[in-house]
Amino acid sequence: MRVILFLIPAALMAQSTPQPTTELPYSPSLDLSSMDTSVQACDDFYHYTCGGWIKKNPIPPDQSAWEVYSKLEYDNQQLLWGLLQQASQPNPSRTVAEQKIGDFFHACMDEAAIEKAGLQPLQPVLDRIAGIKNFHDLDQFATEEHLDGIGGRWLFGFDSDQDLENSEDVIAFAGRGRLGLPDRDYYFRTDKKSVDNRAKYIEHLRTEFGLLGESPADAKLHADQVMAIETELAKSMLTRVEMRNPHNLLHKMTPGQLNALAPTLEFDHFLPALGLTNIKVVNVTEPAFYTALEKQLHAHTIDEWRTFLRWNAIRDASPYLSSQFANASFDFYSKYLRGVPQMKPRWLRCTEWTDRNLGEALGQVFVAKTFTPETKARTVAMTKEIEEAMERDLSTLPWMTDATRKQALLKLHTIVNKIGYPDKWRDYSSVDIKRDDFFGDIDRADRFEYRRQIAKIGKPLDRTEWGMTPPTVNAYYNPQMNDINFPAGVLQPPLFDPKLDDAPNYGNTGATIGHELTHGFDDEGRQFDAKGNLKDWWTPEDSKEFESRVKCVEDQYAQYTVVDDIKINSKLTLGEDVADLGGTLLAYMAWKHATAGMDLKPVDGFTPDQRFFIGMAQWACGDTRPDTKREHALTDPHSPAEFRINGVVSNMPEFATAFGCKVPQKMVSMKPCRVW
Ligand SMILES: [Zn+2]
């Protein structure tokens, strides 16, 4: 007992004394000490490969989950912390990028100034809300708030994106407004936990209104009003599963039609105020939302709408204000909803916010420090090898007819690979960043970003742009750009390990590259053609065959339990599950091709094939708090890590052969699924 009590706090202490660093620490992409060989590989491959990692890496008190990805992110953040400390010295030789990130970080770390300011930075917004007397004032405020807001587009969303039907055109998108709970389903589910969540949310609203100086009676009234409005608006919103079908989000209208849909919002004033004087088309992603908003505007008094806006303002601003506001926000959104005991330390929040607001300036210093030309060359070569494997796979896939195959190959050949960082860096020189005005810095950075997005409307598409910052430990495929994106942050050990051989690297990063490629051909991505247009390029028989093959994956994952009695919503996770399976198969085929004719030897008692699969599983090692699992079950399109591994290997005969697994062992599916 004493030993356990001693060990756990020691492990937590080690994690709770982070330091700004100048180098990333090293851990290998195949780590024997992360395994737990007391578990049988054929019974539970995930815990066989990751059990040791989970034991030696308890979830730190300020995290909702702790995984290989988040640990690497944390290592990156400590390095960024070191780089930001250096950049925050007011040295005249700083570059523009260093001045912006250094002064932003300095202002963010000045907790004394932030405490002293209290609510005052938000006061001008609250005053403007208090001045709203009628719908015209409300629209005026909504317009200003879009242009000059602190991150929210509170009544409705308005942005730019590629036309779903013609990817070369950037057009205006009018979308839904924001909700205070993480998803629209939170407002309607009837299970006990969901009922408790809503009661806690109302309590949180009362706390926030209290912090704005309201009496308990007013705070209660206002909390109920916000809940009533949000519930009505949530009813009109598509579910996450419905949103996965891009056709459900395609409703192109003229500005006149949008204005007619919700006349009270006065789009005939809103659009010109954003500088959009002669646009011809707006894609209204969810027309039902605008119909509901129009109805709700008249179903509530102006006073109730002022309350709604006040809540949105304090919600978005709270993390950046003094501790009483930041703590209230943390208590509900992190501690209660996700079960996180402790708030992240200031340095970590400031590093994350610098990345979020000035990511490509921070990215420049990160890349210079971490991403060598050798790593770039090796990961580019691996990407090509995996694309060639996909080409061979598509060329020989037995279930596909030649007409569809031709289109699939065309799509594969036009995919653009973005590896490491953008060719040209975003220029932040017009953003005024001050060393002593944190809230103002957030505000100005947000204003810069919003105007940058709106300025794209009607201009030629910039295909070089990235949707993730270079330090990010993640990757993505964008169906409209038809590109895969691997930031420098994700191409570091233990995910990509320049010191190790191909087997674990193809298993780990290779399978992730294959995963992103497969997204171009999952149930969502397959609806876009080589140009990134939403256009059906499938013959009906191939479509049918595809549907039945993904149904196999959907049925398989629907049986897995997330937590308690909550099963995976496999209609939500289908695209990711298909990408996990396809990605691993492609990486395996590519690795076999890249090492053909080589005499690969066992290492540490594991055959080359076993090392491929252990490397593949070890990207996913980690643990998640039960409350966070509950939230993810409703909102995360990814399955829990253990099923992202076990679900995949149980479909692969190559895995069964490598580890000698046989029916009825759990890691051998009786009905293996195969799509790509
Ligand atoms: Zn994915």
Side-chain angles (χ1 to χ4, degrees):
M1 221 26 207
R2 197 179 297 158
V3 174
I4 292 167
L5 283 173
F6 173 75
L7 279 177
I8 293 171
L12 292 181
M13 251 169 59
Q15 284 166 350
S16 66
T17 49
Q19 296 296 324
T21 57
T22 52
E23 300 291 336
L24 285 173
Y26 171 73
S27 44
S29 64
L30 193 164
D31 188 351
L32 298 182
S33 74
S34 292
M35 299 175 68
D36 177 0
T37 48
S38 71
V39 176
Q40 293 298 310
C42 296
D43 284 341
D44 180 351
F45 190 59
Y46 177 74
H47 286 99
Y48 169 78
T49 47
C50 287
W53 193 96
I54 296 167
K55 273 194 204 100
K56 66 185 176 185
N57 292 285
I59 306 175
D62 61 351
Q63 302 286 331
S64 57
W66 197 236
E67 299 143 345
V68 166
Y69 267 59
S70 48
K71 189 162 185 275
L72 173 57
E73 191 179 302
Y74 199 73
D75 292 340
N76 284 354
Q77 280 156 335
Q78 287 176 83
L79 174 65
L80 293 172
W81 183 13
L83 297 170
L84 283 166
Q85 273 190 343
Q86 214 176 351
S88 67
Q89 307 298 323
N91 177 340
S93 66
R94 290 187 296 178
T95 63
V96 172
E98 286 165 344
Q99 181 270 318
K100 300 295 176 196
I101 59 172
D103 288 350
F104 183 95
F105 186 74
H106 183 270
C108 182
M109 290 299 286
D110 189 354
E111 282 186 279
I114 291 162
E115 278 311 307
K116 195 162 156 245
L119 184 61
Q120 180 262 323
L122 189 63
Q123 201 55 51
V125 176
L126 296 172
D127 291 345
R128 273 162 46 209
I129 294 171
I132 295 171
K133 300 276 180 289
N134 50 46
F135 284 128
H136 183 69
D137 293 348
L138 182 77
D139 295 335
Q140 201 62 40
F141 176 81
T143 309
E144 291 166 12
E145 179 261 312
H146 268 79
L147 284 168
D148 296 339
I150 44 159
R153 316 294 161 212
W154 301 326
L155 280 173
F156 58 91
F158 195 90
D159 216 329
S160 66
D161 212 334
Q162 287 167 268
D163 184 344
L164 286 157
E165 293 174 311
N166 185 356
S167 68
E168 289 300 322
D169 290 349
V170 182
I171 61 168
F173 272 59
R176 58 166 68 174
R178 302 268 302 278
L179 294 171
L181 285 166
D183 185 76
R184 48 97 62 208
D185 286 358
Y186 275 71
Y187 293 82
F188 311 115
R189 291 172 72 95
T190 53
D191 58 285
K192 169 145 188 336
K193 183 74 187 164
S194 301
V195 173
D196 289 350
N197 286 343
R198 288 194 288 275
K200 272 279 180 194
Y201 177 52
I202 289 178
E203 214 175 276
H204 173 61
L205 289 165
R206 290 166 68 171
T207 304
E208 291 279 21
F209 284 120
L211 288 175
L212 290 177
E214 296 185 3
S215 71
D218 281 352
K220 181 184 182 307
L221 176 73
H222 291 153
D224 292 342
Q225 289 171 348
V226 168
M227 191 64 180
I229 292 177
E230 288 186 352
T231 305
E232 285 303 320
L233 294 177
K235 274 184 200 161
S236 73
M237 295 180 183
L238 296 175
T239 66
R240 280 181 199 251
V241 171
E242 288 164 341
M243 280 197 290
R244 293 199 62 241
N245 181 350
H247 288 283
N248 288 341
L249 302 172
L250 175 62
H251 311 277
K252 281 195 275 189
M253 297 183 186
T254 63
Q257 287 169 317
L258 171 59
N259 206 35
L261 188 64
T264 308
L265 293 173
E266 297 179 8
F267 277 101
D268 48 347
H269 290 152
F270 178 82
L271 297 176
L274 263 58
L276 303 171
T277 43
N278 54 10
I279 59 168
K280 306 272 184 295
V281 63
V282 179
N283 183 39
V284 182
T285 51
E286 295 174 84
F289 167 78
Y290 282 89
T291 306
L293 178 57
E294 174 71 20
K295 196 172 154 213
Q296 287 305 308
L297 282 169
H298 294 281
H300 298 271
T301 63
I302 281 290
D303 186 55
E304 287 169 347
W305 284 106
R306 282 196 295 262
T307 299
F308 175 83
L309 292 175
R310 230 170 29 251
W311 153 238
N312 278 271
I314 190 67
R315 182 195 61 210
D316 280 1
S318 283
Y320 312 120
L321 294 173
S322 58
S323 53
Q324 58 172 341
F325 297 97
N327 289 342
S329 175
F330 170 81
D331 283 347
F332 178 69
Y333 285 109
S334 294
K335 195 180 230 170
Y336 174 72
L337 279 181
R338 294 179 187 150
V340 183
Q342 252 178 45
M343 197 188 288
K344 289 176 184 170
R346 189 79 197 169
W347 71 266
L348 182 51
R349 282 176 281 154
C350 290
T351 307
E352 288 178 353
W353 290 331
T354 313
D355 183 49
R356 195 181 305 161
N357 287 280
L358 301 165
E360 288 198 12
L362 185 60
Q364 291 178 42
V365 292
F366 178 79
V367 163
K369 191 84 193 164
T370 59
F371 200 60
T372 64
E374 292 74 34
T375 301
K376 174 139 182 167
R378 207 170 146 194
T379 47
V380 166
M382 188 195 263
T383 308
K384 291 221 173 77
E385 190 70 63
I386 290 164
E387 285 172 344
E388 282 166 27
M390 186 161 213
E391 174 163 356
R392 289 190 296 274
D393 177 51
L394 287 173
S395 306
T396 54
L397 210 58
W399 58 268
M400 189 172 261
T401 64
D402 284 341
T404 308
R405 192 189 310 280
K406 213 175 127 205
Q407 296 298 319
L409 284 166
L410 178 66
K411 179 163 181 174
L412 174 66
H413 292 149
T414 46
I415 287 177
V416 174
N417 302 326
K418 295 181 179 168
I419 309 288
Y421 52 92
D423 293 337
K424 63 171 198 282
W425 295 105
R426 190 165 302 155
D427 177 10
Y428 295 97
S429 52
S430 67
V431 194
D432 193 11
I433 299 295
K434 299 180 181 170
R435 287 177 75 75
D436 57 357
D437 181 14
F438 176 54
F439 198 86
D441 288 342
I442 291 275
D443 198 21
R444 288 183 291 273
D446 182 69
R447 195 180 306 179
F448 166 81
E449 177 57 18
Y450 190 71
R451 284 165 200 262
R452 197 180 72 79
Q453 294 295 345
I454 293 301
K456 293 181 193 172
I457 296 169
K459 306 254 167 53
L461 173 69
D462 177 4
R463 286 207 178 262
T464 67
E465 197 173 347
W466 281 61
M468 275 179 187
T469 67
T472 306
V473 184
N474 211 336
Y476 69 95
Y477 168 77
N478 179 334
Q480 289 179 272
M481 295 281 244
N482 197 25
D483 63 4
I484 56 171
N485 299 251
F486 282 81
V490 81
L491 298 172
Q492 309 287 339
L495 299 174
F496 180 79
D497 184 351
K499 291 186 185 165
L500 276 192
D501 58 298
D502 279 338
N505 277 323
Y506 269 81
N508 192 324
T509 290
T512 311
I513 296 168
H515 171 106
E516 300 307 338
L517 278 179
T518 308
H519 271 317
F521 303 87
D522 70 16
D523 61 317
E524 195 171 342
R526 80 173 185 98
Q527 302 184 58
F528 293 84
D529 68 8
K531 291 191 173 123
N533 294 326
L534 187 56
K535 196 173 158 199
D536 193 359
W537 47 273
W538 292 65
T539 65
E541 56 188 310
D542 287 325
S543 264
K544 221 176 126 208
E545 185 64 30
F546 177 89
E547 295 297 341
S548 89
R549 284 172 179 270
V550 297
K551 184 78 172 54
C552 175
V553 177
E554 188 185 320
D555 292 345
Q556 177 195 355
Y557 282 76
Q559 293 168 26
Y560 297 137
T561 302
V562 181
V563 62
D564 304 335
D565 59 345
I566 304 174
K567 300 275 182 200
I568 292 180
N569 177 359
S570 62
K571 284 187 162 60
L572 177 63
T573 61
L574 184 58
E576 296 298 335
D577 299 334
V578 167
D580 284 338
L581 176 57
T584 308
L585 282 161
L586 290 176
Y588 184 83
M589 292 188 275
W591 170 61
K592 284 287 169 192
H593 185 265
T595 56
M598 290 185 195
D599 182 23
L600 301 180
K601 297 269 190 297
V603 179
D604 298 320
F606 293 101
T607 67
D609 276 57
Q610 289 175 335
R611 295 179 70 245
F612 171 90
F613 283 107
I614 296 168
M616 171 266 174
Q618 285 194 336
W619 76 260
C621 298
D623 199 5
T624 303
R625 294 185 189 280
D627 285 326
T628 305
K629 285 185 187 171
R630 281 187 198 96
E631 183 181 321
H632 285 181
L634 287 174
T635 60
D636 190 348
H638 302 89
S639 292
E642 65 175 294
F643 305 116
R644 296 189 68 179
I645 300 306
N646 289 350
V648 166
V649 297
S650 61
N651 283 323
M652 287 181 71
E654 298 87 346
F655 168 80
T657 307
F659 284 90
C661 307
K662 294 193 174 58
V663 178
Q665 286 176 303
K666 283 200 198 121
M667 294 298 100
V668 189
S669 173
M670 305 284 276
K671 282 195 312 182
C673 306
R674 171 94 194 248
V675 184
W676 295 105

